[in-house]
Amino acid sequence: MTSTFLGMPTTAPRGVGHLRGDQSFPAAARRALADSQLRRNLGHATATIRAKSAAVIAEAPDWQQLRDAGAAIKADVMARLPELLEQLEAAVTAAGGTVHWAADAVEANRIVTELVAATGSDRVIKVKSMATQEIGLNEALEAAGITPVETDLAELIVQLGDDRPSHILVPAIHRNRAEIREIFLREMPGVDPALTDDPVALAAAARRYLRQTFLHTPVAVSGANFAVAETGTLVVVESEGNGRMCLTLPETLITVMGVEKVVPTWRDLEVFLQLLPRASTGERMNPYTSMWTGVSPGDGPQQVHLVLLDNGRSAVLADEVGRQALHCIRCSACLNVCPVYERTGGHAYGSVYPGPIGAVLSPQLTGVEENASLPYASSLCGACYDACPVKINIPELLVHLRAAHVTAQRRPTTESIAMAAAAYTMDHPALYAAAQRAARLTRLAGRRGRGLPPPLSGWTIGRDLPQPPPQTFREWWAER
Amino acid sequence: MVGRTVNSRELILGRLRAAIGPTTTTPAEVPRDYRPAGGDVDLDVLVHRLTDYRATVHRCSDAEVAKVVDEVLGGQRVVVPPRVPGHWLPATVAAVTDENLTAEQIAAFDGVVTAAAVAIAETGTVVLDAAPDQGRRVITLLPDVHICVLRTDQVVAGAPDAIARLDPNRPLTWISGPSATSDIELNRVEGVHGPRRLHVVIVPRP
Ligand code: SF4
């Protein structure tokens, strides 16, 4: 991005990575809504995780205070991001690590590919990382003749099935056990042909398949859940132990992290390590959390790299309301409570960031005009805000982005007409409240309707109807 | 390479500074009204939480640790860190001290016996900090059975206590139950890549 003016906050570039879908949300959603197996899998999975999470959150008497602290820490991070990153860089460097800065996906992919190539390995093991999915790292590595091996079970299911992730936390949430068994039988080299669809047997098959790869791959790529500016400590939170394998066994470790993941102090981890597992997997603590500070002589990777990624984050930060989206700790709670996500699944959102957070983050990373339908992919029922462990006001952001989108519009389009209807609903408190109530009731009753909840039901149906006469739209426009 | 890195660094920092505008550099006041460090430790809570996440808990004296190790790993091959107390190891296990063993060699052991740094009662978490009685991270990762011996004075109430006690400059591994996944229909399945069985032996403070 050398052609960019210095210091201009910049959105993520086109043509690389996975922030844009090839269809608008309503078109993609309609396809998903027709897939009843998908809706059953999603309904079952999200209901299960909501119940687990509610139970462990109820055990924490100070949950609201933890949320307040988490929100305040993240707001502080955004206000001081440049200096915290410089502090992080200094601490990681002092501990023997190397810090790289990547302005966008293209540069991050180039840095990682060069680092892997320098090890001489034609294979790299990967632990689940949203950032590397966002930048399309696997495609870049493959283009350079390097095989990336996803080691997270769900990522492996997605990779072997030549599929796309559909959930932040459980990327293969759209697959049931029978489908997973079929994928393993078809695609996993050396798999036992008598493999059953028992989850224990499926997990054991993945263990056998990956063990040799773990032991014999000299370089790993990871993401990071948190990075502590004060100490240079990086944190990966996981369940299966594939993270520990990647973080411990190879000689070289490359961590790719969005710049917003930094937290100021070591002590701040006491907040996030309580919030994340309870909101995310619904556990008091996830099975494994690894923390490393640079290089530990004789223990683990001796070449430790950290790639700090912008790729549109500076543009998000530039919007004082919108920057809340950078507070996200990727717990996926907002997906699991969302009545729209529950019906459409993650693929409809087009981006690697699906669900309510995706609806506000992706359009900001790319510029709202390139993900224009996403801010409308919500019924504004408010469940995501209540569920968010760092109190991101997603409904407020959605409304904000809809307004930004309309301002950017020069002529009436289907999108802006749909927006007009949504805005009309929002400007009329009684209608809005009714829509909100209806959405909540639908969610509570656990109905598995074919369509989207109101007011989106009207919208998706409306896309099949003739457009309103332009005159009506302009009249409405003039009144604003 | 260096030149490009420096340029991108300045570019990104410049963008971020432009994005936030003129800014204060004093850290904001963070409300920390959640339960602070220093809460009462309840060992029964620890045992319950460990068991709930499918760890096996043993409570005994320091002198009886060898008996537990014998019950779990008797007749098998065990790797141990350099400074694990010798009296924890019964004559029935073939114990080998990790002195730069290769990953492949470590993977061939049936089990590993270590001490711990800290344990969190509320979450059923054991934390290892790679001290000489816990060893390199790899030895508690590859063998299928991990026996972790914990002293009661290492048990704290919650995460804030653990953070206060731990040294961020050491490589840390927080372990809450055996390796598990919820990736298949959100069923928790124990044992994917890490040890499939975790035994926690709780002994009184010396
Ligand atoms: S927006 Fe909040 S609830 Fe949604 S994934 Fe991010 S942190 Fe979790």
Side-chain angles (χ1 to χ4, degrees), chain A residues 115-116 119-125 213-221 246 249-254 301-303:
Chain A
L115 288 171
V116 175
T119 68
S121 177
D122 59 3
R123 185 172 66 193
V124 56
I125 45 177
T213 306
F214 282 133
L215 289 175
H216 298 290
T217 308
V219 51
V221 172
C246 292
L249 293 175
E251 180 62 21
T252 301
L253 171 61
I254 306 161
Q302 298 300 295
Q303 306 290 327

Side-chain angles (χ1 to χ4, degrees), chain A residues 168 276 279-280 324-325 327-337 354-358 360 383-394:
Chain A
I168 296 177
L276 181 54
S280 178
Q324 280 185 76
H327 297 190
C328 176
I329 57 173
R330 309 276 188 268
C331 74
S332 74
C334 58
L335 280 62
N336 300 329
V337 299
I357 182 61
V360 295
C384 48
Y385 184 24
D386 295 342
C388 179
V390 290
K391 297 179 80 166
I392 299 174
N393 191 336
I394 295 177

